[in-house]
Structure formats: C-alpha cells, structure tokens
Amino acid sequence: MAAVTEQDALEALKRVADPDRGTDIVSLGMVAGLVVKDGNVGFSIEVEPERGAQMEPLRQAAESAVNALPGVLSVTAVLT
C-alpha cells in the first residue's frame, strides 16, 4: 500500500470548490494545519463564522476527497 503524502492530500483538496466562490479551497487558502501520519490525515478548513453552518457539506466533500486516496486510513476535517 502506498503511503499518502501531504502533497497527495493537497492535490485531492484542489478538486473541492467553495460553492460561493467557485474556486478550490486550497487556492483560496482555506486549508490549514494539514497533518499526515501513518495514513491518518487531519486538517482544518477556515471559514467566516457566519458561513460555518452552511459549509458542512464542503467539509464532508473535503474529507471524502482525501479519503479516496490510496493509503488513507482515516480523515478528520474540522471547520474553524
């Protein structure tokens, strides 16, 4: 099984777009604190407080995108 890297995770997250801005969340600088260790990936998605509740589908899409990578055992994404 291939080991997933931070770059792999970022490439997957580039396929997730902010629905209001139409640009990927990596280019928008929304991804922070990315950590990859032994197939476990964690990161936060920074959003404005007033957008927090409506961004839950985006958080789930980001988790799913990274989870689909070979070598990923778990993914935890939080909105901050």
Side-chain angles (χ1 to χ4, degrees):
M1 176 169 49
V4 66
T5 66
E6 287 184 20
Q7 189 60 40
D8 294 334
L10 286 172
E11 289 299 319
L13 291 170
K14 285 181 182 177
R15 295 189 292 268
V16 179
D18 181 317
D20 297 329
R21 297 179 179 145
T23 303
D24 72 87
I25 62 175
V26 174
S27 296
L28 289 169
M30 297 171 69
V31 177
L34 177 64
V35 177
V36 178
K37 183 169 179 165
D38 300 327
N40 302 295
V41 181
F43 57 93
S44 63
I45 302 172
E46 297 178 343
V47 298
E48 297 83 3
E50 61 274 8
R51 295 178 70 209
Q54 72 185 29
M55 298 307 283
E56 178 59 19
L58 178 84
R59 184 196 68 76
Q60 292 173 352
E63 276 191 353
S64 294
V66 175
N67 198 44
L69 293 171
V72 171
L73 301 175
S74 72
V75 181
T76 303
V78 294
L79 292 171
T80 58

